[in-house]
Amino acid sequence: MGDTTNGAVHNGRAYRPVGSDLGISALHGVPRTDSPQKAKDFTSDQEVRWCPGCGDYVILATVRTVLPQLGLKRENIVFVSGIGCSSRFPYYLDTYGVHSIHGRAPTFATGLAVTRPDLSVWVVTGDGDALSIGGNHLIHALRRNVNMRILLFNNRIYGLTKGQYSPTSESGKITKSTPMGSIDAPFNTMSLALGAEASFVARVLDSDRAGLTEVLLAAAEHRGAAFVEILQDCPIFNDGSFDALRKENAEDRLIHVRHGEPIIFGTDDELCVVRRGFGLRVAPITDVDRDDIVVHDAHSDDPENAYALSRLSAQDLTYTVTGIVRSVSRPTYDDQARAQVAAAVSDERADLQALLDGPSTWTVS
């Protein structure tokens, strides 16, 4: 198939994938409500059952405040989850929801996105669900740029199964399954998503309500696969895992990026990000020229800068990049799939027998 950005050709006919225009919102074509909505309109009658102090509560409350701002009919919003503590999410929202199977939420969501362009499709998953058994499904949903939002709750532990180490647990982590310390090297989730060519990649702390709201609204609008990693505390099996990013002097560790702004951070804005060879490094702002400070470009087609930013994040939380690291437009899998179906249906010259025979048939005499 040819370049679908500028149109493609099927059996001699030019066609254009519906919604493939760069910059079109993911909310385009999703039915809108005529009346104002509130958070309580998206609150189901199910009792929320997470451990006291779990970061999931904050994320749920934030999502409930974001959804009314989208102005969509509730019956045209669907949340798909896999298995894990975070995967109870669909029960607590008064929208459609699917509690699917371990690691396969992106697969269920792909089917919905392809067949139902009138839906806003969301995936809720955890670091174990998405990056272990579901790793293959995650990277291909991102690579294909399926029109869905993927919220990955990362608490760096298996919570539902009572505290084993996960694919994001730091090296040396002592858990029930690694009493002598984990010998695994953890995923850098942001690097993983960028390596899979995700068109939207962001990271945020669960306790940062303002930052989480900003990222979720942007993800909701993004047409394509929007990957949002939410750093989330598990108070029972991994308590305080992100305390370094919440307590005193956390500003010296959090590198929050905004498109078009120089990357400056620190308690008194005394630190910045500059180029170092093919990568980036942190430097005291007094040691560099102002022109050397990197200006964040989230919309660059070249993922090099975004990937270099992701590598600044260290497993010991010396530095952690947050905010929208990448947001670019490219054709989506579901738009192109529907366009091919429409082209095939409209082709009056279609020959079913020729399709069944295929291009390579032989007559045996």
Side-chain angles (χ1 to χ4, degrees):
M1 186 165 129
D3 180 359
T4 54
T5 302
N6 298 313
V9 175
H10 174 71
N11 285 356
R13 290 188 182 180
Y15 70 100
R16 186 179 182 83
V18 178
S20 67
D21 301 287
L22 299 184
I24 192 170
S25 169
L27 305 182
H28 177 77
V30 181
R32 306 188 71 83
T33 182
D34 296 327
S35 56
Q37 297 170 321
K38 298 181 179 179
K40 66 178 183 180
D41 296 321
F42 290 91
T43 302
S44 76
D45 61 357
Q46 299 298 299
E47 178 187 358
V48 180
R49 301 184 65 182
W50 285 313
C51 300
C54 178
D56 288 1
Y57 285 100
V58 179
I59 303 171
L60 176 62
T62 306
V63 169
R64 284 174 174 169
T65 61
V66 165
L67 292 177
Q69 299 180 55
L70 304 182
L72 305 177
K73 291 186 176 181
R74 288 179 298 161
E75 58 267 34
N76 291 92
I77 302 173
V78 59
F79 280 78
V80 184
S81 66
I83 298 297
C85 295
S86 63
S87 295
R88 295 172 177 162
F89 216 82
Y91 295 105
Y92 308 141
L93 292 170
D94 199 4
T95 65
Y96 277 108
V98 180
H99 191 177
S100 68
I101 54 180
H102 208 181
R104 273 68 174 185
T107 309
F108 281 78
T110 296
L112 285 168
V114 171
T115 59
R116 292 289 302 273
D118 61 325
L119 296 180
S120 178
V121 181
W122 298 69
V123 169
V124 176
T125 184
D127 47 302
D129 184 56
L131 298 174
S132 187
I133 191 171
N136 189 50
H137 299 274
L138 173 68
I139 61 173
H140 290 299
L142 297 176
R143 174 181 63 84
R144 290 169 173 153
N145 200 34
V146 183
N147 191 26
M148 66 175 75
R149 280 115 289 290
I150 301 175
L151 310 184
L152 189 151
F153 297 15
N154 182 7
N155 56 19
R156 311 215 296 192
I157 203 76
Y158 276 103
L160 187 66
T161 51
K162 308 299 187 282
Q164 299 84 1
Y165 80 103
S166 83
T168 56
S169 296
E170 60 273 28
S171 297
K173 184 75 172 179
I174 296 176
T175 72
K176 293 177 180 179
S177 56
T178 53
M180 298 178 65
S182 169
I183 57 175
D184 269 3
F187 275 128
N188 180 319
T189 52
M190 189 175 279
S191 297
L192 177 74
L194 290 165
E197 297 292 341
S199 57
F200 183 104
V201 178
R203 178 190 285 138
V204 67
L205 272 169
D206 59 357
S207 56
D208 181 7
R209 287 287 296 270
L212 182 56
T213 299
E214 177 185 350
V215 165
L216 291 178
L217 286 171
E221 291 275 357
H222 180 78
R223 192 168 195 87
F227 177 84
V228 179
E229 179 190 12
I230 306 173
L231 305 182
Q232 172 249 328
D233 193 44
C234 175
I236 305 302
F237 298 108
N238 203 19
D239 191 28
S241 56
F242 296 109
D243 276 359
L245 305 179
R246 308 179 198 275
K247 295 186 176 180
E248 187 177 0
N249 299 322
E251 295 88 350
D252 295 334
R253 296 173 176 268
L254 283 168
I255 305 175
H256 188 71
V257 296
R258 289 182 180 275
H259 174 72
E261 295 184 6
I263 305 177
I264 298 173
F265 67 103
T267 305
D268 299 309
D269 287 342
E270 72 276 16
L271 299 170
C272 64
V273 173
V274 296
R275 297 195 179 281
R276 180 185 63 185
F278 293 107
L280 303 174
R281 67 177 177 89
V282 173
I285 202 167
T286 54
D287 293 352
V288 303
D289 293 331
R290 191 79 182 185
D291 291 342
D292 291 334
I293 300 174
V294 173
V295 176
H296 181 46
D297 183 4
H299 304 325
S300 173
D301 288 334
D302 187 347
E304 177 185 344
N305 288 336
Y307 188 81
L309 268 177
S310 76
R311 304 313 296 171
L312 288 175
S313 297
Q315 63 168 301
D316 64 359
L317 307 181
T318 301
Y319 299 115
T320 299
V321 175
T322 62
I324 300 172
V325 172
R326 192 178 196 221
S327 179
V328 297
S329 296
R330 59 185 179 90
T332 69
Y333 179 89
D334 43 299
D335 283 336
Q336 295 179 88
R338 288 191 296 271
Q340 285 191 336
V341 171
V345 169
S346 65
D347 191 349
E348 298 175 356
R349 299 169 296 175
D351 185 337
L352 177 59
Q353 190 58 51
L355 178 64
L356 294 174
D357 290 342
S360 301
T361 59
W362 294 267
T363 300
V364 179
S365 59

